[in-house]
Amino acid sequence: MTANQVPSEPRHGSPDPTVDRVVPEEDLLRDRALGRLKKKADFRVHLLIYVLVNGMLVLIWAMTGASFFWPAFILAGWGIGLVANAVDAYVVDTPTEKQVTEEMERLRRR
């Protein structure tokens, strides 16, 4: 067989392109649930690190007797990222299959 020839039979273990691969809805829901649980767990770790590190910085500020509260810049900057992480973990939901299909149809019409 030369490089330009295509085998007439599929190789063992390769998917058959003529078979429609439909994922059961239960599997899709499970994957979405696992993804959400991971995001929530990641957020909790992020929150813990934020509290520990910034608590240490406030403690350093208090022990040095500085009059200007310089940890405010770190608290505010990092806090913006923490809020964004919370929104992603608890508010924003992954798109449903219906939303994905509608977006695909919209893109096809372009």
Side-chain angles (χ1 to χ4, degrees):
M1 174 166 29
T2 64
N4 293 334
Q5 290 179 326
V6 178
S8 59
E9 296 180 27
R11 294 183 217 155
H12 294 278
S14 64
D16 184 359
T18 60
V19 175
D20 186 19
R21 286 175 241 130
V22 177
V23 179
E25 185 177 351
E26 189 68 26
D27 289 347
L28 291 174
L29 288 174
R30 178 175 170 73
D31 290 345
R32 287 180 64 200
L34 287 172
R36 299 237 348 149
L37 289 171
K38 177 159 180 18
K39 283 184 178 186
K40 289 177 181 181
D42 289 346
F43 169 74
R44 287 190 297 271
V45 170
H46 188 181
L47 179 62
L48 176 65
I49 292 170
Y50 175 85
V51 169
L52 293 175
V53 169
N54 286 299
M56 181 184 66
L57 293 175
V58 170
L59 184 63
I60 290 170
W61 168 81
M63 291 175 64
T64 61
S67 60
F68 179 72
F69 187 65
W70 54 265
F73 297 107
I74 300 162
L75 287 164
W78 194 346
I80 291 170
L82 188 67
V83 168
N85 193 344
V87 168
D88 184 44
Y90 290 96
V91 178
V92 177
D93 196 11
T94 55
T96 63
E97 285 303 311
K98 181 181 177 189
Q99 291 170 326
V100 171
T101 304
E102 288 172 355
E103 182 65 14
M104 290 169 59
E105 288 301 320
R106 187 185 71 75
L107 290 171
R108 279 190 190 111
R109 289 190 300 262
R110 283 181 132 188

